[in-house]
Amino acid sequence: MLAGSATVLVDAIRNFASIREPAEIRSHALERIDESPWGWLATDVVIVDIPEPNVGARVTNNPPDGIITIDRRNWSGGRLDRLVDHELGHLLDFAVWGSGDPDRRGGLGSEPWAECAAVAAGTRSVDRGDADERYHCFADEIEIYRQTVDALDEVCRSWAEPECRAVDTIRP
């Protein structure tokens, strides 16, 4: 029982919204990007007010520019890490498939792909049956994500300064 209470306390502290100022949000996000094997896909982080309450961040596609735009709100370190890993998942999608291939991402939808990227990065856990209908990563989906990433030979960023990297040198 004591161990369970300690886990709840640690989770509560980790999820406490302690990152408030735009400069702090940006700095934390950039640190997470630097830690990620997919971080080289991001070109910048911008903090703005995003009026949609269910949107914490976004990246632009069509054409992608690699900029992660994050909402100016109070964040916990854990939530911000999950958010950045999710957006990096979208950038990985854009780098590998662009926006034209309807059979991309191993058949996963855009949001499950990005959620599974956060699971693979270790900042999010796999969902059970009661997950949000749009933002989820179920056990079968994380397996599809991993198999799809494992099958990649190289990832090419077409924005900013175009660059390709062999996946076996950057594999998470």
Side-chain angles (χ1 to χ4, degrees):
M1 182 163 135
L2 185 59
S5 298
T7 301
V8 169
L9 180 61
V10 167
D11 285 344
I13 291 169
R14 194 173 127 217
N15 290 320
F16 179 71
S18 61
I19 305 170
R20 294 178 168 83
E21 297 300 319
E24 292 175 308
I25 296 168
R26 185 172 188 276
S27 176
H28 186 96
L30 288 170
E31 285 176 21
R32 183 68 196 155
I33 287 167
D34 284 344
E35 294 169 2
S36 172
W38 305 115
W40 64 280
L41 296 171
T43 58
D44 201 1
V45 173
V46 177
I47 313 303
V48 299
D49 289 321
I50 298 177
E52 300 98 327
N54 294 329
V55 177
R58 67 174 130 236
V59 290
T60 300
N61 186 16
N62 211 11
D65 59 11
I67 297 172
I68 298 175
T69 302
I70 300 176
D71 185 42
R72 183 184 318 189
R73 66 174 77 160
N74 295 340
W75 292 98
S76 68
R79 284 186 62 217
L80 192 51
D81 288 346
R82 283 191 301 274
L83 181 82
V84 169
D85 289 336
H86 173 100
E87 298 307 326
L88 288 171
H90 283 306
L91 292 177
L92 175 61
D93 172 17
F94 303 158
V96 175
W97 295 286
S99 62
D101 185 353
D103 297 321
R104 66 187 201 235
R105 298 183 297 262
L108 293 179
S110 176
E111 297 307 334
W113 174 268
E115 290 294 298
C116 288
V119 170
T123 55
R124 185 189 193 292
S125 48
V126 172
D127 290 304
R128 302 216 179 345
D130 61 345
D132 178 287
E133 44 184 271
R134 183 171 180 200
Y135 297 98
H136 56 77
C137 179
F138 298 114
D140 60 328
E141 292 171 326
I142 188 61
E143 289 310 313
I144 291 169
Y145 173 89
R146 288 186 174 131
Q147 290 171 4
T148 303
V149 171
D150 286 346
L152 298 174
D153 292 323
E154 102 180 331
V155 173
C156 295
R157 176 182 72 196
S158 61
W159 51 89
E161 192 172 314
E163 177 181 356
C164 293
R165 293 188 184 183
V167 173
D168 62 352
T169 64
I170 56 174
R171 191 174 316 277

